[in-house]
Amino acid sequence: MSNAISILNGASSSDAVKITDSGLRGMITLRGDLDSAQLKSAVSAAVGSDIPAQRKITHGPMGGVAWMSPDELLLLVAYDQADAITAQISEALGAEHHMAVNVSDARAIFRIEGQGAREVLAKGAPIDLSPEAFGIGDFRRTRVGQLAAAFWMTQTDMFELICFRSVGEFMFDWLTNAARDGSLPEYF
Amino acid sequence: MLTLKCPCCGVTAEETEFAPGGEAHLTRFGPGTDDQAFADYLFARKNPRGVHFERWRHAFGCGKWFHAARCTATLEVFGTYTAQTSTPPEELVAKIKAKRPDWEGFA
Ligand SMILES: [Zn+2]
């Protein structure tokens, strides 16, 4: 068996706002009719959570479910469970038109934590990251610098961010640079 | 800088989150049509000074295509609407007509 490692194998930065490679995470792309009862029950069986509303993320005992687009969800589960859960979903949906793919190894996931985490992202994402506009439960696909990314808050001053693994190292460097001590505008 | 509202995910975002897709509502001329019609379909565009209908994709967001109506001279955005149509919605056309009485209308 090969020994799977995440893009930076758990590396982290040492500034006040800390950037960490979150390690391996199971990620499953699920496309289909999000209003379908069968899809709802398949997701609920897989992660123990309801389907999130538009641009939201929900969490269940086995993982998270993020709203990616009107016909796409992202399931966040334990890395070593991803293949089994993908198969379980495909089986539950049977002949219903859908696509479930384990994309875990195509992605990188980072944690941004510390007071000012919002400002690190606000430096690169063209969206409103003030506490009134973005909070826990929100999920946003956008760009960070020039890279496609998506992020959400896990708790106050803590974000998780996903991007393609192929640009993971650049993303880590970008975030680490944006989080340098003394470089935050302290606007929020 | 344009600010567009993606009708697919509800986000109001600035231009750099989107990718432009050129003029909207083109009629496709393919195999079986004459060369001039095919050439016009490929290359001839209205390029108006004023009201214009365009295709855009929410490239850094939900990834979906949609339509936008805007003014090429002032960059005013009149509205955005679904990609699953071959003509702009009537309400939108009426709204534009009210704002720009001299506009010749959608053709
Ligand atoms: Zn969108």
Side-chain angles (χ1 to χ4, degrees), chain A residues 55 71 126 140-143, chain B residues 9 14 16-17 60-61 64:
Chain A
R55 301 198 315 278
D71 60 359
R140 185 69 154 82
R141 292 175 76 179
T142 181
R143 62 180 177 85
Chain B
C9 71
E14 49 101 309
T16 64
E17 234 181 64
F60 282 105
K64 301 296 183 193

Side-chain angles (χ1 to χ4, degrees), chain A residues 57-115:
Chain A
I57 182 168
T58 56
H59 301 277
M62 289 89 90
V65 189
W67 191 94
M68 296 287 276
S69 87
D71 60 359
E72 180 179 346
L73 299 174
L74 179 69
L75 275 51
L76 296 144
V77 297
Y79 181 81
D80 56 6
Q81 296 289 309
D83 273 332
I85 292 175
T86 307
Q88 181 194 333
I89 289 172
S90 283
E91 197 174 324
L93 287 173
E96 180 166 314
H97 183 64
H98 77 283
M99 181 185 79
V101 182
N102 178 1
V103 296
S104 312
D105 295 323
R107 302 272 171 81
I109 178 163
F110 299 103
R111 196 162 63 240
I112 301 142
E113 57 187 311
Q115 199 181 354

Side-chain angles (χ1 to χ4, degrees), chain A residues 12 18 36 41 80 83 86 127 136 158 172:
Chain A
S12 65
K18 191 174 162 193
S36 132
S41 72
D80 56 6
D83 273 332
T86 307
I127 70 170
I136 293 167
M158 191 190 287
F172 180 83

Side-chain angles (χ1 to χ4, degrees), chain A residues 54-55 67-70 140, chain B residues 5-11 17-18 57-66:
Chain A
Q54 191 181 56
R55 301 198 315 278
W67 191 94
M68 296 287 276
S69 87
R140 185 69 154 82
Chain B
K5 180 171 181 176
C6 172
C8 304
C9 71
V11 151
E17 234 181 64
F18 301 96
R57 191 171 84 88
H58 196 182
F60 282 105
C62 67
K64 301 296 183 193
W65 284 97
F66 61 93

